[in-house]
Amino acid sequence: MSCPVHHGSDGTVVLDPYVTDLRTERETLYAAGPLTRVELPGGVSAWAVTHHEAARALLTDSRLVKDVAHWDDLQSGRIPEGWPLLSTIPPTPTNLLGTDGAEHRRLRLLTARAFSARSVERLRPRIKELTTELLDAMEPKADRPLDLKEHFAFQLPMNVIGELYGVDRSEFGYLRDLYVKFFSSVTGPEEFAEVYTTLERYYDDMVAAKRADPGEDLTTELLQAGENGDALTDLEVRGTLQVTVAAGHETTVNLLCNAVRALLAHPEQFDLVKKGEVGWDAVVEETLRYDPPTSNMLFRFATEDVEVGGRTIRKGEALMVSYGAISRDRAEHGEEPHPDTFDLTRTKGRHMSFGHGPHVCPGATLARMEGQIALPMLFERFPDLRLAVPDEELRNHHSIIVNSLQELPVLLRP
């Protein structure tokens, strides 16, 4: 059952948990901006920032914090029990998503070191090797429809982040199925609670196993870090793993799928790549802008009244960042070519699909590298790759947070 985006009687933009028309939703949110009231699944109300300039200002405004203790609706019990979107809002500030200031800098320093440009560059040979392995594995299925998301777009980033943090490869599919429910806007309260608890238990077990038997991985490094007194607690290591493993694969899965879809839907743009007139870095950046991997990021909370574009976020209210709407901002990206156009020669504007300010995604460099390696290798191996269904039949995962296709059926060698 679907309930496409529409306006409530008070002008609030009501978001569709089934994501049946993402293109219209982005445009509706942009048109209502720079700041607009939104109603999320479950009848939860919040503000959304939908224009580039306003988002840049708000994402660096110290009056807006990540600590859920400042959210009046939650503290007063107005949020439905088992509300699935609480999955991205840590109940206690023990990870990068739930902390600010000095505490956030401490956690980020110990996490981001692994994603520095130098550290990521060392992964290049392994990413190429993994990509080749996945392409080889798809060869026997090249003459019949295949879900490129399952066999390629998911496997590569999950292998990369899994190897970095010491996740057993046999558990990738198990984690994928949990994260589908974790990010869903329509997971029922009881199932959501079960998924949340299962993921916590999974990472608790992983932390305990690494303490007992240290390995050559970043989880072990996190456990051994901080000899100068900055050591992470087991709860903080668990929180870091929850965020890093989830974001470390989900963002790149969506980047790869969305890039393949955009190139196949815009053959005249793809021709520019094939002729060498634009590089694969342009494909990655324009995909990140045109079809960002994250639609909306929840939440920041106002510690005092904050005015934006003639509207006021009251103390205790929640702010959502709508990257999908921000990607359509004419003031940033120009009227021509229209921001709703996939154009690899675009020169005006910069996207903020990895965020902005203190909470900018630490894994952005890694995601970009994976895209710049995997996409050309995929099309070099399968130059005639095409969709196995019409583009309009592709369906989004039921999530207002991640912009993820349910599947991407293709023919590798039609």
Short mmCIF file of all heavy atoms in Angstrom, two decimals, residues 281-345:
data_model
loop_
_atom_site.label_atom_id
_atom_site.label_comp_id
_atom_site.label_asym_id
_atom_site.label_seq_id
_atom_site.Cartn_x
_atom_site.Cartn_y
_atom_site.Cartn_z
N ASP A 281 35.45 9.92 -12.23
CA ASP A 281 35.26 10.75 -11.05
C ASP A 281 34.04 11.64 -11.22
O ASP A 281 33.28 11.87 -10.27
CB ASP A 281 36.51 11.60 -10.77
CG ASP A 281 36.93 12.46 -11.96
OD1 ASP A 281 36.56 12.14 -13.11
OD2 ASP A 281 37.64 13.45 -11.73
N ALA A 282 33.81 12.11 -12.46
CA ALA A 282 32.62 12.93 -12.73
C ALA A 282 31.34 12.10 -12.59
O ALA A 282 30.32 12.59 -12.11
CB ALA A 282 32.70 13.54 -14.13
N VAL A 283 31.40 10.82 -13.01
CA VAL A 283 30.25 9.93 -12.85
C VAL A 283 29.90 9.79 -11.38
O VAL A 283 28.73 9.89 -10.98
CB VAL A 283 30.53 8.54 -13.47
CG1 VAL A 283 29.39 7.58 -13.17
CG2 VAL A 283 30.76 8.65 -14.97
N VAL A 284 30.90 9.56 -10.55
CA VAL A 284 30.68 9.39 -9.12
C VAL A 284 30.10 10.66 -8.50
O VAL A 284 29.10 10.61 -7.78
CB VAL A 284 31.99 8.98 -8.41
CG1 VAL A 284 31.85 9.08 -6.89
CG2 VAL A 284 32.39 7.57 -8.81
N GLU A 285 30.69 11.81 -8.81
CA GLU A 285 30.24 13.06 -8.18
C GLU A 285 28.84 13.45 -8.65
O GLU A 285 28.01 13.89 -7.84
CB GLU A 285 31.22 14.19 -8.46
CG GLU A 285 32.60 13.98 -7.85
CD GLU A 285 32.55 13.64 -6.36
OE1 GLU A 285 31.83 14.33 -5.61
OE2 GLU A 285 33.23 12.67 -5.96
N GLU A 286 28.55 13.30 -9.92
CA GLU A 286 27.22 13.67 -10.41
C GLU A 286 26.16 12.70 -9.90
O GLU A 286 25.02 13.10 -9.62
CB GLU A 286 27.20 13.76 -11.94
CG GLU A 286 25.84 14.11 -12.55
CD GLU A 286 25.28 15.49 -12.21
OE1 GLU A 286 25.84 16.17 -11.31
OE2 GLU A 286 24.25 15.87 -12.79
N THR A 287 26.50 11.42 -9.75
CA THR A 287 25.56 10.47 -9.16
C THR A 287 25.27 10.84 -7.72
O THR A 287 24.12 10.81 -7.28
CB THR A 287 26.11 9.04 -9.23
OG1 THR A 287 26.34 8.68 -10.58
CG2 THR A 287 25.13 8.05 -8.61
N LEU A 288 26.32 11.19 -6.97
CA LEU A 288 26.13 11.59 -5.57
C LEU A 288 25.20 12.79 -5.46
O LEU A 288 24.40 12.89 -4.52
CB LEU A 288 27.48 11.92 -4.94
CG LEU A 288 28.39 10.72 -4.63
CD1 LEU A 288 29.81 11.19 -4.32
CD2 LEU A 288 27.84 9.91 -3.47
N ARG A 289 25.28 13.70 -6.42
CA ARG A 289 24.39 14.87 -6.40
C ARG A 289 22.99 14.51 -6.92
O ARG A 289 21.99 14.79 -6.27
CB ARG A 289 24.96 16.00 -7.27
CG ARG A 289 24.12 17.29 -7.22
CD ARG A 289 24.24 18.11 -8.49
NE ARG A 289 23.71 17.41 -9.67
CZ ARG A 289 22.41 17.36 -9.99
NH1 ARG A 289 21.50 17.93 -9.23
NH2 ARG A 289 22.02 16.73 -11.09
N TYR A 290 22.94 13.88 -8.08
CA TYR A 290 21.67 13.63 -8.78
C TYR A 290 20.78 12.65 -8.04
O TYR A 290 19.56 12.80 -7.98
CB TYR A 290 22.00 13.12 -10.18
CG TYR A 290 20.83 12.61 -11.00
CD1 TYR A 290 19.93 13.51 -11.57
CD2 TYR A 290 20.66 11.24 -11.21
CE1 TYR A 290 18.86 13.03 -12.32
CE2 TYR A 290 19.60 10.77 -11.97
CZ TYR A 290 18.70 11.67 -12.52
OH TYR A 290 17.65 11.20 -13.27
N ASP A 291 21.39 11.63 -7.47
CA ASP A 291 20.63 10.56 -6.82
C ASP A 291 21.36 10.14 -5.54
O ASP A 291 21.93 9.06 -5.46
CB ASP A 291 20.51 9.37 -7.79
CG ASP A 291 19.32 8.48 -7.50
OD1 ASP A 291 18.49 8.85 -6.64
OD2 ASP A 291 19.21 7.41 -8.13
N PRO A 292 21.38 11.02 -4.52
CA PRO A 292 22.24 10.79 -3.35
C PRO A 292 21.91 9.50 -2.61
O PRO A 292 20.75 9.10 -2.52
CB PRO A 292 21.97 12.02 -2.46
CG PRO A 292 20.87 12.78 -3.07
CD PRO A 292 20.60 12.26 -4.43
N PRO A 293 22.94 8.82 -2.08
CA PRO A 293 22.74 7.54 -1.40
C PRO A 293 21.86 7.63 -0.15
O PRO A 293 21.22 6.67 0.24
CB PRO A 293 24.16 7.11 -1.01
CG PRO A 293 25.06 7.88 -1.91
CD PRO A 293 24.37 9.17 -2.17
N THR A 294 21.88 8.81 0.49
CA THR A 294 21.04 9.05 1.66
C THR A 294 20.02 10.11 1.30
O THR A 294 20.38 11.20 0.88
CB THR A 294 21.89 9.54 2.85
OG1 THR A 294 22.89 8.56 3.14
CG2 THR A 294 21.04 9.75 4.09
N SER A 295 18.74 9.78 1.47
CA SER A 295 17.68 10.75 1.16
C SER A 295 17.55 11.81 2.24
O SER A 295 17.49 13.01 1.97
CB SER A 295 16.34 10.04 0.97
OG SER A 295 16.35 9.22 -0.18
N ASN A 296 17.48 11.35 3.49
CA ASN A 296 17.29 12.25 4.63
C ASN A 296 18.10 11.74 5.81
O ASN A 296 18.21 10.53 6.01
CB ASN A 296 15.82 12.30 5.04
CG ASN A 296 14.90 12.70 3.90
OD1 ASN A 296 14.90 13.85 3.46
ND2 ASN A 296 14.11 11.76 3.41
N MET A 297 18.65 12.66 6.58
CA MET A 297 19.39 12.27 7.79
C MET A 297 18.66 12.80 9.02
O MET A 297 18.35 13.98 9.11
CB MET A 297 20.82 12.82 7.74
CG MET A 297 21.66 12.47 8.95
SD MET A 297 21.80 10.69 9.27
CE MET A 297 23.04 10.25 8.06
N LEU A 298 18.38 11.89 9.95
CA LEU A 298 17.73 12.23 11.20
C LEU A 298 18.79 12.21 12.31
O LEU A 298 19.63 11.34 12.31
CB LEU A 298 16.66 11.19 11.55
CG LEU A 298 15.71 10.76 10.42
CD1 LEU A 298 14.72 9.75 10.98
CD2 LEU A 298 14.97 11.91 9.79
N PHE A 299 18.67 13.00 13.24
CA PHE A 299 18.09 14.29 13.49
C PHE A 299 19.14 15.13 14.16
O PHE A 299 20.12 14.63 14.71
CB PHE A 299 16.92 14.18 14.48
CG PHE A 299 15.57 13.90 13.92
CD1 PHE A 299 14.73 13.02 14.57
CD2 PHE A 299 15.11 14.51 12.77
CE1 PHE A 299 13.46 12.76 14.11
CE2 PHE A 299 13.84 14.25 12.29
CZ PHE A 299 13.01 13.37 12.97
N ARG A 300 18.91 16.44 14.19
CA ARG A 300 19.59 17.34 15.10
C ARG A 300 18.51 18.01 15.93
O ARG A 300 17.39 18.17 15.45
CB ARG A 300 20.42 18.37 14.33
CG ARG A 300 21.73 17.82 13.81
CD ARG A 300 22.33 18.71 12.74
NE ARG A 300 23.66 18.25 12.36
CZ ARG A 300 23.92 17.23 11.54
NH1 ARG A 300 22.90 16.53 11.04
NH2 ARG A 300 25.14 16.87 11.24
N PHE A 301 18.87 18.44 17.15
CA PHE A 301 17.87 18.98 18.07
C PHE A 301 18.30 20.37 18.54
O PHE A 301 19.47 20.59 18.87
CB PHE A 301 17.68 18.04 19.27
CG PHE A 301 17.44 16.61 18.85
CD1 PHE A 301 18.48 15.69 18.90
CD2 PHE A 301 16.22 16.21 18.35
CE1 PHE A 301 18.29 14.37 18.50
CE2 PHE A 301 16.02 14.90 17.93
CZ PHE A 301 17.05 13.98 18.00
N ALA A 302 17.33 21.28 18.58
CA ALA A 302 17.62 22.67 18.92
C ALA A 302 17.73 22.85 20.43
O ALA A 302 16.81 22.48 21.17
CB ALA A 302 16.53 23.59 18.37
N THR A 303 18.86 23.40 20.88
CA THR A 303 19.04 23.68 22.31
C THR A 303 18.52 25.08 22.66
O THR A 303 18.44 25.43 23.84
CB THR A 303 20.52 23.58 22.70
OG1 THR A 303 21.29 24.49 21.88
CG2 THR A 303 21.03 22.17 22.49
N GLU A 304 18.21 25.86 21.63
CA GLU A 304 17.54 27.14 21.79
C GLU A 304 16.86 27.47 20.46
O GLU A 304 17.06 26.76 19.48
CB GLU A 304 18.52 28.25 22.19
CG GLU A 304 19.66 28.46 21.20
CD GLU A 304 20.64 29.52 21.69
OE1 GLU A 304 21.57 29.18 22.44
OE2 GLU A 304 20.46 30.70 21.29
N ASP A 305 16.04 28.50 20.42
CA ASP A 305 15.36 28.85 19.18
C ASP A 305 16.38 29.22 18.10
O ASP A 305 17.34 29.95 18.36
CB ASP A 305 14.41 30.04 19.40
CG ASP A 305 13.20 29.67 20.26
OD1 ASP A 305 13.09 28.50 20.67
OD2 ASP A 305 12.36 30.56 20.51
N VAL A 306 16.14 28.70 16.87
CA VAL A 306 17.03 28.98 15.74
C VAL A 306 16.16 29.45 14.57
O VAL A 306 15.25 28.74 14.14
CB VAL A 306 17.82 27.71 15.32
CG1 VAL A 306 18.73 28.02 14.13
CG2 VAL A 306 18.63 27.17 16.48
N GLU A 307 16.45 30.64 14.04
CA GLU A 307 15.67 31.20 12.94
C GLU A 307 16.35 30.89 11.60
O GLU A 307 17.56 31.04 11.46
CB GLU A 307 15.50 32.71 13.10
CG GLU A 307 14.56 33.09 14.23
CD GLU A 307 14.17 34.56 14.18
OE1 GLU A 307 14.21 35.15 13.09
OE2 GLU A 307 13.84 35.09 15.25
N VAL A 308 15.54 30.46 10.63
CA VAL A 308 16.03 30.15 9.29
C VAL A 308 14.97 30.57 8.27
O VAL A 308 13.83 30.09 8.33
CB VAL A 308 16.30 28.64 9.12
CG1 VAL A 308 16.87 28.36 7.72
CG2 VAL A 308 17.24 28.12 10.18
N GLY A 309 15.34 31.44 7.35
CA GLY A 309 14.44 31.81 6.27
C GLY A 309 13.07 32.26 6.73
O GLY A 309 12.06 31.94 6.13
N GLY A 310 13.03 33.01 7.82
CA GLY A 310 11.76 33.52 8.32
C GLY A 310 10.98 32.54 9.17
O GLY A 310 9.87 32.85 9.62
N ARG A 311 11.53 31.36 9.40
CA ARG A 311 10.87 30.37 10.25
C ARG A 311 11.77 30.06 11.45
O ARG A 311 12.98 30.30 11.41
CB ARG A 311 10.56 29.09 9.47
CG ARG A 311 9.56 29.34 8.35
CD ARG A 311 9.15 28.07 7.65
NE ARG A 311 8.08 28.31 6.71
CZ ARG A 311 7.50 27.38 5.97
NH1 ARG A 311 7.90 26.12 6.08
NH2 ARG A 311 6.52 27.68 5.15
N THR A 312 11.15 29.52 12.50
CA THR A 312 11.90 29.28 13.74
C THR A 312 11.82 27.83 14.16
O THR A 312 10.71 27.28 14.33
CB THR A 312 11.37 30.18 14.88
OG1 THR A 312 11.43 31.55 14.48
CG2 THR A 312 12.20 29.98 16.14
N ILE A 313 12.98 27.21 14.31
CA ILE A 313 13.06 25.90 14.94
C ILE A 313 13.08 26.17 16.45
O ILE A 313 14.04 26.75 16.96
CB ILE A 313 14.34 25.14 14.53
CG1 ILE A 313 14.48 25.08 13.01
CG2 ILE A 313 14.35 23.74 15.13
CD1 ILE A 313 15.84 24.58 12.54
N ARG A 314 12.03 25.78 17.15
CA ARG A 314 11.94 26.05 18.58
C ARG A 314 12.85 25.12 19.37
O ARG A 314 13.14 23.99 18.96
CB ARG A 314 10.50 25.88 19.06
CG ARG A 314 9.49 26.82 18.41
CD ARG A 314 9.69 28.24 18.88
NE ARG A 314 8.76 29.16 18.22
CZ ARG A 314 8.89 30.48 18.21
NH1 ARG A 314 9.96 31.03 18.82
NH2 ARG A 314 8.02 31.25 17.61
N LYS A 315 13.28 25.61 20.51
CA LYS A 315 14.06 24.79 21.43
C LYS A 315 13.35 23.47 21.68
O LYS A 315 12.15 23.45 21.97
CB LYS A 315 14.27 25.54 22.74
CG LYS A 315 15.05 24.75 23.78
CD LYS A 315 15.18 25.53 25.08
CE LYS A 315 15.91 24.69 26.14
NZ LYS A 315 16.03 25.42 27.42
N GLY A 316 14.09 22.35 21.52
CA GLY A 316 13.50 21.04 21.75
C GLY A 316 12.92 20.37 20.51
O GLY A 316 12.51 19.22 20.56
N GLU A 317 12.90 21.11 19.37
CA GLU A 317 12.37 20.53 18.14
C GLU A 317 13.48 19.84 17.34
O GLU A 317 14.67 20.11 17.52
CB GLU A 317 11.69 21.60 17.29
CG GLU A 317 10.40 22.12 17.91
CD GLU A 317 9.65 23.09 17.02
OE1 GLU A 317 10.30 23.84 16.26
OE2 GLU A 317 8.40 23.11 17.10
N ALA A 318 13.06 18.96 16.43
CA ALA A 318 14.00 18.14 15.66
C ALA A 318 14.15 18.69 14.25
O ALA A 318 13.18 19.17 13.64
CB ALA A 318 13.51 16.70 15.60
N LEU A 319 15.37 18.57 13.71
CA LEU A 319 15.67 18.99 12.35
C LEU A 319 16.18 17.80 11.54
O LEU A 319 17.11 17.10 11.96
CB LEU A 319 16.73 20.08 12.34
CG LEU A 319 17.23 20.51 10.95
CD1 LEU A 319 16.17 21.30 10.21
CD2 LEU A 319 18.53 21.30 11.05
N MET A 320 15.59 17.59 10.38
CA MET A 320 16.02 16.58 9.42
C MET A 320 16.75 17.27 8.27
O MET A 320 16.33 18.33 7.83
CB MET A 320 14.79 15.82 8.90
CG MET A 320 15.05 14.80 7.83
SD MET A 320 13.49 14.03 7.29
CE MET A 320 13.06 15.12 5.91
N VAL A 321 17.82 16.67 7.79
CA VAL A 321 18.53 17.21 6.62
C VAL A 321 18.11 16.40 5.41
O VAL A 321 18.33 15.19 5.35
CB VAL A 321 20.06 17.12 6.82
CG1 VAL A 321 20.78 17.77 5.64
CG2 VAL A 321 20.48 17.78 8.13
N SER A 322 17.49 17.07 4.43
CA SER A 322 16.96 16.39 3.25
C SER A 322 17.94 16.52 2.09
O SER A 322 17.88 17.46 1.30
CB SER A 322 15.60 16.96 2.86
OG SER A 322 15.10 16.27 1.72
N TYR A 323 18.87 15.55 1.99
CA TYR A 323 19.88 15.62 0.94
C TYR A 323 19.27 15.49 -0.45
O TYR A 323 19.77 16.08 -1.41
CB TYR A 323 20.93 14.52 1.16
CG TYR A 323 21.75 14.75 2.40
CD1 TYR A 323 21.69 13.88 3.48
CD2 TYR A 323 22.58 15.86 2.50
CE1 TYR A 323 22.44 14.10 4.63
CE2 TYR A 323 23.33 16.09 3.64
CZ TYR A 323 23.26 15.20 4.71
OH TYR A 323 23.99 15.44 5.84
N GLY A 324 18.19 14.74 -0.57
CA GLY A 324 17.52 14.61 -1.87
C GLY A 324 16.99 15.93 -2.37
O GLY A 324 17.14 16.28 -3.54
N ALA A 325 16.37 16.71 -1.47
CA ALA A 325 15.84 18.03 -1.85
C ALA A 325 16.98 19.02 -2.10
O ALA A 325 16.95 19.80 -3.07
CB ALA A 325 14.91 18.55 -0.77
N ILE A 326 18.00 18.99 -1.25
CA ILE A 326 19.14 19.90 -1.38
C ILE A 326 19.82 19.71 -2.74
O ILE A 326 20.31 20.67 -3.35
CB ILE A 326 20.13 19.68 -0.23
CG1 ILE A 326 19.50 20.14 1.09
CG2 ILE A 326 21.45 20.40 -0.47
CD1 ILE A 326 20.24 19.68 2.33
N SER A 327 19.82 18.48 -3.25
CA SER A 327 20.45 18.20 -4.53
C SER A 327 19.73 18.87 -5.69
O SER A 327 20.26 18.93 -6.81
CB SER A 327 20.49 16.68 -4.78
OG SER A 327 19.20 16.19 -5.11
N ARG A 328 18.52 19.39 -5.45
CA ARG A 328 17.74 20.06 -6.50
C ARG A 328 17.79 21.58 -6.39
O ARG A 328 17.04 22.28 -7.07
CB ARG A 328 16.27 19.58 -6.43
CG ARG A 328 16.09 18.08 -6.70
CD ARG A 328 16.67 17.71 -8.06
NE ARG A 328 16.47 16.32 -8.42
CZ ARG A 328 17.39 15.37 -8.33
NH1 ARG A 328 18.59 15.65 -7.84
NH2 ARG A 328 17.16 14.14 -8.73
N ASP A 329 18.67 22.10 -5.59
CA ASP A 329 18.73 23.54 -5.32
C ASP A 329 19.26 24.31 -6.52
O ASP A 329 20.43 24.19 -6.90
CB ASP A 329 19.61 23.80 -4.09
CG ASP A 329 19.48 25.21 -3.55
OD1 ASP A 329 19.11 26.11 -4.33
OD2 ASP A 329 19.74 25.41 -2.36
N ARG A 330 18.40 25.13 -7.13
CA ARG A 330 18.79 25.93 -8.30
C ARG A 330 19.84 26.97 -7.94
O ARG A 330 20.72 27.28 -8.76
CB ARG A 330 17.58 26.66 -8.89
CG ARG A 330 16.64 25.81 -9.74
CD ARG A 330 15.95 24.75 -8.95
NE ARG A 330 14.63 24.42 -9.50
CZ ARG A 330 13.97 23.33 -9.18
NH1 ARG A 330 14.50 22.44 -8.34
NH2 ARG A 330 12.76 23.10 -9.67
N ALA A 331 19.75 27.54 -6.73
CA ALA A 331 20.71 28.57 -6.33
C ALA A 331 22.13 28.01 -6.30
O ALA A 331 23.10 28.71 -6.60
CB ALA A 331 20.34 29.15 -4.97
N GLU A 332 22.26 26.73 -5.96
CA GLU A 332 23.58 26.10 -5.89
C GLU A 332 24.01 25.52 -7.23
O GLU A 332 25.17 25.66 -7.63
CB GLU A 332 23.58 25.00 -4.82
CG GLU A 332 24.89 24.24 -4.69
CD GLU A 332 26.03 25.10 -4.17
OE1 GLU A 332 25.78 26.17 -3.58
OE2 GLU A 332 27.19 24.69 -4.34
N HIS A 333 23.09 24.84 -7.91
CA HIS A 333 23.46 24.06 -9.10
C HIS A 333 23.02 24.70 -10.42
O HIS A 333 23.33 24.17 -11.49
CB HIS A 333 22.88 22.65 -9.00
CG HIS A 333 23.35 21.91 -7.78
ND1 HIS A 333 24.65 21.49 -7.62
CD2 HIS A 333 22.69 21.54 -6.65
CE1 HIS A 333 24.77 20.89 -6.45
NE2 HIS A 333 23.62 20.91 -5.84
N GLY A 334 22.32 25.83 -10.35
CA GLY A 334 21.92 26.54 -11.55
C GLY A 334 20.59 26.06 -12.11
O GLY A 334 20.09 24.99 -11.78
N GLU A 335 20.01 26.89 -12.95
CA GLU A 335 18.75 26.55 -13.63
C GLU A 335 18.99 25.72 -14.88
O GLU A 335 18.13 24.99 -15.33
CB GLU A 335 18.00 27.84 -14.00
CG GLU A 335 17.46 28.62 -12.83
CD GLU A 335 16.15 28.06 -12.27
OE1 GLU A 335 15.65 27.07 -12.85
OE2 GLU A 335 15.64 28.60 -11.28
N GLU A 336 20.20 25.87 -15.44
CA GLU A 336 20.52 25.20 -16.71
C GLU A 336 21.95 24.68 -16.67
O GLU A 336 22.88 25.48 -16.49
CB GLU A 336 20.34 26.19 -17.87
CG GLU A 336 20.43 25.57 -19.23
CD GLU A 336 19.31 24.56 -19.49
OE1 GLU A 336 18.18 24.81 -19.06
OE2 GLU A 336 19.59 23.53 -20.13
N PRO A 337 22.21 23.38 -16.79
CA PRO A 337 21.18 22.33 -16.87
C PRO A 337 20.41 22.19 -15.56
O PRO A 337 20.98 22.40 -14.49
CB PRO A 337 22.01 21.06 -17.15
CG PRO A 337 23.36 21.35 -16.58
CD PRO A 337 23.57 22.82 -16.79
N HIS A 338 19.13 21.89 -15.69
CA HIS A 338 18.25 21.79 -14.53
C HIS A 338 18.81 20.77 -13.53
O HIS A 338 19.33 19.72 -13.94
CB HIS A 338 16.84 21.37 -14.99
CG HIS A 338 15.81 21.53 -13.94
ND1 HIS A 338 15.63 20.62 -12.93
CD2 HIS A 338 14.89 22.51 -13.73
CE1 HIS A 338 14.64 21.03 -12.14
NE2 HIS A 338 14.18 22.17 -12.61
N PRO A 339 18.73 21.05 -12.23
CA PRO A 339 19.26 20.10 -11.25
C PRO A 339 18.61 18.71 -11.29
O PRO A 339 19.19 17.75 -10.78
CB PRO A 339 18.96 20.79 -9.91
CG PRO A 339 18.91 22.24 -10.22
CD PRO A 339 18.30 22.31 -11.59
N ASP A 340 17.44 18.61 -11.91
CA ASP A 340 16.81 17.30 -12.03
C ASP A 340 17.33 16.54 -13.25
O ASP A 340 16.78 15.52 -13.64
CB ASP A 340 15.28 17.45 -12.12
CG ASP A 340 14.56 16.15 -11.78
OD1 ASP A 340 15.10 15.35 -10.98
OD2 ASP A 340 13.46 15.92 -12.32
N THR A 341 18.40 17.06 -13.86
CA THR A 341 19.01 16.43 -15.02
C THR A 341 20.36 15.82 -14.64
O THR A 341 21.16 16.44 -13.92
CB THR A 341 19.26 17.49 -16.13
OG1 THR A 341 18.01 18.12 -16.46
CG2 THR A 341 19.84 16.86 -17.38
N PHE A 342 20.59 14.61 -15.11
CA PHE A 342 21.89 13.95 -14.91
C PHE A 342 22.84 14.47 -15.97
O PHE A 342 22.69 14.17 -17.16
CB PHE A 342 21.71 12.43 -15.03
CG PHE A 342 22.97 11.63 -14.79
CD1 PHE A 342 23.50 11.49 -13.52
CD2 PHE A 342 23.60 10.98 -15.85
CE1 PHE A 342 24.65 10.73 -13.30
CE2 PHE A 342 24.75 10.22 -15.64
CZ PHE A 342 25.27 10.10 -14.36
N ASP A 343 23.79 15.30 -15.58
CA ASP A 343 24.69 15.95 -16.54
C ASP A 343 26.12 15.87 -16.04
O ASP A 343 26.50 16.55 -15.08
CB ASP A 343 24.27 17.41 -16.72
CG ASP A 343 24.99 18.08 -17.89
OD1 ASP A 343 26.16 17.72 -18.15
OD2 ASP A 343 24.41 18.96 -18.54
N LEU A 344 26.93 15.07 -16.72
CA LEU A 344 28.31 14.85 -16.30
C LEU A 344 29.23 16.03 -16.60
O LEU A 344 30.38 16.06 -16.14
CB LEU A 344 28.86 13.58 -16.98
CG LEU A 344 28.13 12.29 -16.61
CD1 LEU A 344 28.65 11.12 -17.44
CD2 LEU A 344 28.27 11.99 -15.12
N THR A 345 28.74 17.00 -17.36
CA THR A 345 29.56 18.18 -17.67
C THR A 345 29.19 19.36 -16.76
O THR A 345 29.66 20.47 -16.97
CB THR A 345 29.39 18.59 -19.14
OG1 THR A 345 28.03 19.00 -19.37
CG2 THR A 345 29.73 17.44 -20.07
#
